[in-house]
Amino acid sequence: MQNNKIITEEIKSVKGMNDILPNESYAWLWLENILQEWLESFGYENIRTPIVESTHLFVRSIGMATDIVEKEMYSWTDHLNEDKLTLRPEGTAGVIRAAIEHNLLYNNIQKLWYLGPMFRHERPQKGRYRQFYQLGVEALGLKGPSIDCEIIVMLNNLWQRLGINDLELQINCLGNKEERGEHRKVLIDYFEKNIDLLDKDAVRRLHSNPLRILDSKNPLMQDLIIKAPKLIDFLKDESLTHYTNWKNLLIELNIKFTENPCLVRGLDYYNLSVFEWVTTHLGAQATVAAGGRYDPLIETLGGKQNYAIGFAIGIERLLLILEYFKKIPVKKSLNVFIANNYELVNSKHLALESYSFKIANMLRENAFNVVQDLTGNSLKSQLKKADNLNVSYTLLIGENELSNNQVVIKFMKEHKQEIVALDQLVGILIKHSSLI
């Protein structure tokens, strides 16, 4: 006999993909407003690209021999048309694809920003999730170290706006493809001679992406990494001049930095200037913002030779550092709660609610945030709700107020109340709000 019992199973969010609830989202909105104002002050414009792109886009741009492509991307084949698709693991490739596709770089400079979710299948931990939010900034079409400097100036300005003063800027130069190729041969030879000291990840990367071994955080390998051949020793005049001029600009602007020869970044498309802003306050997840030049990527993705630099900020990590420094403001309370005394004859319920809506609309037109009671609960229950919402004012509306075109204002902080005419309500609340 068939069992018709309905099985009810709680469905939870996917591991590493988190809900952002109202007690957290207000901080995100506060930060996003600051970020938008900051970016606009430097002349950057918003661009929005799909979260789903062709898998081939990321294989070509990020590089096959990277952790992201090898084991972190969410990819699948669309059963309707056999397209190979991927949830974007980072934003730069999609922006360059859009710039090429829509001819944005024809005799033009583009300064673009975006903010949205990225996806990587890795072990979730504090500050690192499988769906994470990233602010990205891309400056396209500008050659020379001046734009590299502006990028650093921008970020330095953001830390000042946010009140963060304990981040360290680390920089390095990756040169060009030929210089990295010469360094690569020597680096492989060095690590092969010390292969017994390499961990499993380093052995895997030895012949595919040996530069990434320098970025290892394995404490047992740090002495080996420090003694490894330095890429800067293989740089020719053009790369060294770019790097030197970039550093000199930063020095002139009193922006402190540390040169880190092991800073390589994790993606194949970087060249010349690379940088990270790091902190000691987030444990293992020390990087708050990172980026650099990626001039070759435009050609790699089918465009004409051009210039590009950018950076990304992990929003979760930035919020963690803001929380550490106690820079996130207290959630704003609502201004006004309107409580209806429903202890009236049924025929007046409609009139009472209509009067309540009229008052709420009038207050919102004068920039007050208003919540109306729509539950029909007792006045005592409504007043308890007003207390929980921590509003500044509760407006009480009953039969007398409805009949006389009045309202009772309950001043929640002062624990007092008064009856006022409806046409005086806005003026009284505005005057009182300016005094508190």
Side-chain angles (χ1 to χ4, degrees), residues 172-202:
N172 192 21
C173 182
L174 297 184
N176 59 39
K177 184 177 180 180
E178 289 73 27
E179 292 158 348
R180 289 194 300 277
E182 291 180 24
H183 174 244
R184 172 193 172 97
K185 296 174 187 175
V186 178
L187 195 63
I188 290 174
D189 183 60
Y190 169 78
F191 283 130
E192 281 183 336
K193 290 176 181 177
N194 295 278
I195 197 164
D196 291 342
L197 301 176
L198 300 181
D199 61 19
K200 190 163 111 180
D201 276 344

Side-chain angles (χ1 to χ4, degrees), residues 105-288:
L105 295 176
Y106 180 72
N107 292 331
N108 205 1
I109 291 168
Q110 295 289 342
K111 299 173 83 172
L112 308 169
W113 70 272
Y114 51 90
L115 194 157
M118 311 293 162
F119 303 85
R120 296 185 192 178
H121 194 285
E122 52 188 345
R123 183 171 62 87
Q125 53 190 291
K126 189 174 184 180
R128 174 178 286 181
Y129 307 106
R130 291 178 176 174
Q131 176 176 306
F132 58 98
Y133 289 79
Q134 206 169 67
L135 170 76
V137 172
E138 320 290 354
L140 311 178
L142 289 163
K143 182 182 181 181
S146 295
I147 184 61
D148 303 24
C149 182
E150 181 185 78
I151 290 290
I152 300 300
V153 168
M154 283 180 68
L155 284 162
N156 197 55
N157 179 266
L158 177 61
W159 312 143
Q160 292 172 358
R161 290 181 186 227
L162 294 173
I164 302 173
N165 55 15
D166 194 24
L167 299 180
E168 178 190 2
L169 171 61
Q170 297 183 357
I171 68 172
N172 192 21
C173 182
L174 297 184
N176 59 39
K177 184 177 180 180
E178 289 73 27
E179 292 158 348
R180 289 194 300 277
E182 291 180 24
H183 174 244
R184 172 193 172 97
K185 296 174 187 175
V186 178
L187 195 63
I188 290 174
D189 183 60
Y190 169 78
F191 283 130
E192 281 183 336
K193 290 176 181 177
N194 295 278
I195 197 164
D196 291 342
L197 301 176
L198 300 181
D199 61 19
K200 190 163 111 180
D201 276 344
V203 171
R204 179 172 56 85
R205 290 169 171 156
L206 181 55
H207 292 280
S208 60
N209 196 353
L211 204 60
R212 287 284 284 122
I213 299 175
L214 300 177
D215 197 36
S216 171
K217 303 300 187 289
N218 185 341
L220 299 177
M221 289 174 50
Q222 293 311 300
D223 185 60
L224 180 68
I225 289 170
I226 290 170
K227 294 176 181 177
K230 303 294 187 290
L231 176 56
I232 196 165
D233 295 330
F234 294 80
L235 302 185
K236 304 296 190 295
D237 288 347
E238 187 175 354
S239 294
L240 284 172
T241 299
H242 185 102
Y243 187 41
T244 300
N245 290 341
W246 182 37
K247 290 189 292 182
N248 287 341
L249 279 170
L250 297 178
I251 291 169
E252 285 291 319
L253 294 168
N254 295 315
I255 297 177
K256 297 179 180 179
F257 60 85
T258 301
E259 294 185 72
N260 179 359
C262 295
L263 176 59
V264 298
R265 305 297 300 127
L267 308 179
D268 280 0
Y269 52 60
Y270 285 105
N271 72 306
L272 290 174
S273 311
V274 290
F275 60 88
E276 290 185 356
W277 293 85
V278 299
T279 177
T280 58
H281 303 302
L282 293 181
Q285 302 307 317
T287 304
V288 180

